[in-house]
Amino acid sequence: MMTLQEIINSIESLPTEDREYLFEFLRQQRIENRRVEILANAQEVMQAFKNSTVYRESVDDLIADLLGDDDRSCLE
């Protein structure tokens, strides 16, 4: 197995065109991985709605909850 430094050195030794191809390939992989992650999250949320295991609240309620502000004074 190569170390990270060895990988970096190998990449640096590639011709510019190959490096550009590698970077574009990695960028596309990141995009696809993020799409898969978003889809999985959306499916989880949809299932939670179907199971009635989520509740709805206003944005103000959510902000107050995140800030630990029970009386919502942070919103005034």
Side-chain angles (χ1 to χ4, degrees):
M1 176 158 243
M2 295 176 72
T3 67
L4 179 58
Q5 188 59 50
E6 290 171 332
I7 294 170
I8 292 169
N9 292 342
S10 294
I11 292 170
E12 288 177 344
S13 70
L14 290 172
T16 302
E17 186 176 298
D18 290 347
R19 275 186 282 168
E20 289 175 6
Y21 173 80
L22 175 62
F23 295 146
E24 181 61 23
F25 172 79
L26 292 173
R27 188 180 76 78
Q28 290 296 328
Q29 286 296 111
R30 287 181 57 205
I31 290 169
E32 184 58 30
N33 290 341
R34 184 65 180 130
R35 285 182 182 148
V36 169
E37 184 180 320
I38 290 169
L39 176 61
N41 289 340
Q43 289 171 334
E44 185 179 324
V45 168
M46 294 301 292
Q47 190 61 45
F49 271 111
K50 287 179 185 177
N51 295 341
S52 299
T53 56
V54 295
Y55 64 95
R56 296 179 185 174
E57 63 184 358
S58 71
V59 172
D60 288 343
D61 291 337
L62 177 60
I63 292 170
D65 186 45
L66 291 172
L67 295 174
D69 190 8
D70 295 334
D71 65 2
R72 297 177 63 188
S73 61
C74 66
L75 302 174
E76 297 172 357

